[in-house]
Amino acid sequence: MQLSEKELEILEILEHDSRLPLDSIAKMVDLSEKETKEVVEKLEGKKVIVQYSTDINWRRVDGHEGVTAMIDVKVTPKRGVGFDEIAERIYRFEEVKAVYLMSGTYDLSVTIEGKSMSQIANFVSEKLSTLDSVVSTTTHFIMKKYKHDGTIYEYDDDDKRIVVSP
């Protein structure tokens, strides 16, 4: 889909901060609020804008830390459908947050979230590894999130400058 310069500008603004009011976006791209709303609705209708989301730093909420794992999966693709069929079977599991087709040693990268490491281990051993096309898996647990989708999660606000006094 070919987009106009204004449409691309609106997408970049929304990607950075989807909570901006339409009137602010309209001013930024030099369109009326009505025109801006029409562009956004068009992009939503064409599934260019798929969803608006909120990034939450769950480490700061007591009792809601959870565990996130990235699983490298080697699969045997099926004739006629390639990797699409097995990828769809995997992304339909509730625990799965993302599935990507990758180049390199492994074919798919799967991101899942659970309440504990044992819950993720059960997912891998009872659900993922038992799928016919899955040849092998390697699980990596995320220990700490520093930056995600351009948002920095952990940084030190303390001023590290040396105090100089006369």
Side-chain angles (χ1 to χ4, degrees):
M1 169 179 220
Q2 189 70 26
L3 298 180
S4 71
E5 188 176 316
K6 295 289 185 186
E7 290 169 332
L8 289 171
E9 281 183 68
I10 291 171
L11 284 177
E12 288 172 2
I13 291 167
L14 287 172
E15 184 177 41
H16 180 71
D17 184 357
S18 62
R19 293 186 58 172
L20 279 175
L22 275 176
D23 62 328
S24 296
I25 297 170
K27 288 175 189 170
M28 294 168 79
V29 296
D30 196 28
L31 289 175
S32 71
E33 192 172 338
K34 181 181 182 224
E35 291 171 314
T36 304
K37 183 178 182 190
E38 289 171 356
V39 168
V40 170
E41 288 174 348
K42 171 191 165 190
L43 295 171
E44 290 170 343
K46 296 282 186 182
K47 299 293 184 203
V48 174
I49 298 174
V50 181
Q51 176 178 311
Y52 299 94
S53 63
T54 302
D55 288 332
I56 299 171
N57 187 352
W58 286 108
R59 288 176 54 103
R60 296 194 179 258
V61 182
D62 292 339
H64 292 280
E65 295 86 9
V67 179
T68 302
M70 298 175 77
I71 306 168
D72 297 326
V73 184
K74 185 179 281 269
V75 299
T76 303
K78 291 192 175 178
R79 187 179 309 274
V81 293
F83 296 100
D84 295 345
E85 183 181 287
I86 187 66
E88 182 178 347
R89 288 185 68 194
I90 292 169
Y91 72 62
R92 292 197 179 278
F93 289 116
E94 183 180 323
E95 301 91 338
V96 175
K97 300 302 173 197
V99 177
Y100 304 99
L101 179 62
M102 306 295 288
S103 63
T105 305
Y106 291 89
D107 303 306
L108 299 174
S109 178
V110 179
T111 304
I112 70 167
E113 292 178 356
K115 294 182 192 286
S116 65
M117 290 177 81
S118 62
Q119 185 182 31
I120 290 175
N122 287 338
F123 169 82
V124 173
S125 65
E126 296 172 11
K127 294 180 180 179
L128 185 61
S129 295
T130 60
L131 296 174
D132 291 337
S133 297
V134 173
V135 176
S136 67
T137 64
T138 301
T139 303
H140 309 274
F141 289 96
I142 294 178
M143 307 300 283
K144 184 175 183 179
K145 191 183 293 187
Y146 294 99
K147 185 175 183 179
H148 178 75
D149 285 342
T151 301
I152 297 171
Y153 278 66
E154 300 287 338
Y155 58 91
D156 194 0
D157 288 336
D158 294 340
D159 191 350
K160 301 287 188 206
R161 295 179 290 180
I162 298 172
V163 177
V164 178
S165 59

